[in-house]
Amino acid sequence: DAKTTQPPSMDCAEGRAANLPCNHSTISGNEYVYWYRQIHSQGPQYIIHGLKNNETNEMASLIITEDRKSSTLILPHATLRDTAVYYCIVRGIAGGTSYGKLTFGQGTILTVHP
Amino acid sequence: GAGVSQTPSNKVTEKGKYVELRCDPISGHTALYWYRQSLGQGPEFLIYFQGTGAADDSGLPNDRFFAVRPEGSVSTLKIQRTERGDSAVYLCASAGDPVLGTQYFGPGTRLTVL
């Protein structure tokens, strides 16, 4: 699976949009971009995933560049409860030997402040 | 519907003892993963089950670690002759489809080896 690069930490004011970047320049054509977050002392929580089109759900939006070498997770109106470690993961699909296992990096610590 | 559950939530043991950690996946999920998370790090893959069989155990650190899933539902991670370095949070995740299915994580078991 391709490696990802994320900034170690970011700050965001409550009520503002949080934009979390991720670089995955070695991503291959059959690999998805997944985002998870982990709030202190809890298991990772699935947020969103995409292949090449932008995606939106009730939690967030995912913007993937046309060349697929980077993406941005957008939390449109951050709240204090969004303070967490955010992981960007590239995951292989059918035909690979990774069997869909997730390879976590260090992630980005997002701190939402009042 | 219940999510992934793990028991116990905390386990304290002495060096050299044997421990078992249990995972109850989401009902109907055929894929089950175990990960280990050390302090300050992202989760690391240990083993993956598709049904009753371990399809990928490449992440198990050594032969003291073993996992079973005899009926294709509940899984038990077993650690023999525990060492202080085994102290970590052990996370379980399940997915309805191992290739395309999103993995949903349990809250984890915090293992402390004294």
Side-chain angles (χ1 to χ4, degrees):
Chain A
D1 295 333
K3 291 187 67 174
T4 62
T5 304
Q6 299 177 252
S9 63
M10 293 183 66
D11 286 343
C12 178
E14 189 177 21
R16 296 294 187 104
N19 298 283
L20 292 91
C22 179
N23 287 321
H24 31 78
S25 58
T26 60
I27 193 170
S28 61
N30 65 351
E31 291 179 320
Y32 284 74
V33 178
Y34 276 75
W35 284 83
Y36 280 78
R37 73 180 182 184
Q38 190 170 25
I39 296 169
H40 183 61
S41 297
Q42 297 182 22
Q45 177 189 23
Y46 166 77
I47 302 174
I48 198 167
H49 75 280
L51 184 62
K52 54 184 178 181
N53 298 320
N54 298 338
E55 302 288 343
T56 295
N57 63 20
E58 64 279 3
M59 289 183 68
S61 294
L62 174 60
I63 308 298
I64 303 174
T65 58
E66 191 168 344
D67 64 7
R68 301 187 69 238
K69 293 181 184 296
S70 65
S71 60
T72 301
L73 178 74
I74 301 172
L75 307 179
H77 306 286
T79 71
L80 299 179
R81 289 181 296 178
D82 292 322
T83 292
V85 180
Y86 286 77
Y87 295 101
C88 170
I89 300 164
V90 170
R91 181 189 179 193
I93 58 171
T97 58
S98 65
Y99 296 101
K101 67 186 177 189
L102 299 173
T103 301
F104 290 80
Q106 296 291 326
T108 296
I109 300 172
L110 174 68
T111 303
V112 181
H113 51 85
Chain B
V4 178
S5 62
Q6 294 186 245
T7 54
S9 55
N10 282 284
K11 176 70 176 179
V12 180
T13 191
E14 294 179 342
K15 181 175 177 293
K17 298 290 188 181
Y18 167 83
V19 297
E20 290 189 351
L21 311 179
R22 176 187 169 108
C23 172
D24 281 83
I26 293 172
S27 178
H29 278 191
T30 58
L32 186 146
Y33 302 79
W34 283 97
Y35 294 82
R36 178 170 73 172
Q37 186 170 25
S38 300
L39 191 63
Q41 305 295 316
E44 294 179 308
F45 169 79
L46 294 176
I47 187 169
Y48 154 62
F49 286 90
Q50 176 54 30
T52 60
D56 182 0
D57 64 358
S58 62
L60 294 178
N62 51 60
D63 61 6
R64 295 186 298 105
F65 288 75
F66 190 71
V68 296
R69 195 185 184 199
E71 298 179 355
S73 178
V74 171
S75 176
T76 304
L77 179 65
K78 308 181 180 192
I79 309 174
Q80 299 177 322
R81 305 183 303 281
T82 52
E83 299 177 357
R84 292 193 179 88
D86 299 335
S87 296
V89 175
Y90 289 82
L91 295 159
C92 176
S94 72
D97 180 294
V99 175
L100 296 176
T102 296
Q103 292 180 35
Y104 296 94
F105 284 80
T109 293
R110 180 175 299 277
L111 175 67
T112 303
V113 182
L114 301 177

